[in-house]
Amino acid sequence: MRAEFDNITGTMTAILVAVHEAMREAQQDGTRAKLALQATGWVKPLVSAAGGIINGGSEGDVEYIMTH
């Protein structure tokens, strides 16, 4: 479980660092907004998976909590 959690959090960090760099280089606000939306789509399922590991519940339980 720990290795899986570390993998998930490492992936989240890599995504956020890459998006941060891309947003710093983006010239248009619309481009930054698209990058933020994409990052949300990539990271949200990983947050759910990490929450499931932390809380011992299923990803579906965490997803329900995050959307309500």
Side-chain angles (χ1 to χ4, degrees):
M1 276 295 185
R2 178 60 190 227
E4 183 181 1
F5 181 79
D6 289 344
N7 185 43
I8 290 168
T9 57
T11 300
M12 285 190 289
T13 300
I15 290 168
L16 295 174
V17 167
V19 170
H20 171 75
E21 290 299 321
M23 288 179 84
R24 289 183 67 188
E25 294 179 18
Q27 300 293 318
Q28 303 292 324
D29 288 338
T31 302
R32 290 184 189 105
K34 287 179 185 178
L35 286 166
L37 187 60
Q38 285 179 324
T40 300
W42 295 328
V43 172
K44 188 174 177 181
L46 297 171
V47 170
S48 293
I53 292 169
I54 291 168
N55 297 313
S58 70
E59 289 181 32
D61 294 339
V62 175
E63 183 67 24
Y64 177 81
I65 291 167
M66 290 181 67
T67 58
H68 289 84

